[in-house]
Amino acid sequence: MTTEPLGRRERKNAQTRRALSEAAERLFLARGYDAVAVKDIADEVDVSVPTLFKHVPDGKPAVMFDDGVERRESLLGAVHDRPEGVSVIAALRDFMAGRGPFEQHPSKLFRRRTELIMGTPALREYSRKLWIRCEAPLAEAIAAELALPPSDVTARAAARYVLEIPQFVGDEPDPRTALHAIFDLLEHGLPAPPVKS
């Protein structure tokens, strides 16, 4: 499948959207989220506030994020393009292990950005929204890979549990260990209780 090249208007819109995102991240990191107004971000890019809202209808918490398409496509790719013999849950574990607070060797900027998101309730909640928007397509992908009906409740539950992990354990003292503990639970269930003597 070939992708049509973007027209001039689409390229200009994408460029403005990217500039807004970069400006918001720069300002939030420098001043803190609460000290930055939407007008500050618009001024930084030399656009009006209505223009900012045209590009980012969800407002201030959404400005530094993309539209979530890359996130959704990457998640679906992790399921559909996983190597032979790798389970769906193992593929999703590998995918999540490279995101946000679970990244093993983040750059300094990546770490600062992640700390900003995880430490700012509005940004953290918006990030969660982007994850949850992926629930229906991820559930369908899981169901398809396991030859289950598209609306299978277990596929839906697995998708929901996986997508809640960043919100649920992202601020644990060791998020990566917590991530693996949750995926161990998803793959193997709860451990058996100790045998009473």
Side-chain angles (χ1 to χ4, degrees), residues 115-137:
E115 288 169 356
L116 173 69
I117 293 168
M118 298 309 288
T120 307
L123 295 176
R124 187 170 180 165
E125 183 54 33
Y126 193 78
S127 178
R128 178 180 179 268
K129 252 189 219 179
L130 288 176
W131 283 117
I132 296 305
R133 284 182 190 167
C134 300
E135 184 178 331

Side-chain angles (χ1 to χ4, degrees), residues 68-87:
V69 171
E70 180 275 333
R71 185 181 307 231
R72 184 185 68 234
E73 295 306 311
S74 297
L75 262 170
L76 298 181
V79 172
H80 292 308
D81 304 331
R82 69 192 191 282
E84 191 172 333
V86 173
S87 73

Side-chain angles (χ1 to χ4, degrees), residues 39-80:
K39 184 175 181 337
D40 297 331
I41 300 166
D43 288 348
E44 187 83 3
V45 181
D46 197 24
V47 298
S48 67
V49 170
T51 297
L52 181 148
F53 280 106
K54 181 183 122 195
H55 289 282
V56 191
D58 288 345
K60 183 178 167 183
V63 178
M64 70 177 271
F65 295 97
D66 63 21
D67 60 6
V69 171
E70 180 275 333
R71 185 181 307 231
R72 184 185 68 234
E73 295 306 311
S74 297
L75 262 170
L76 298 181
V79 172
H80 292 308

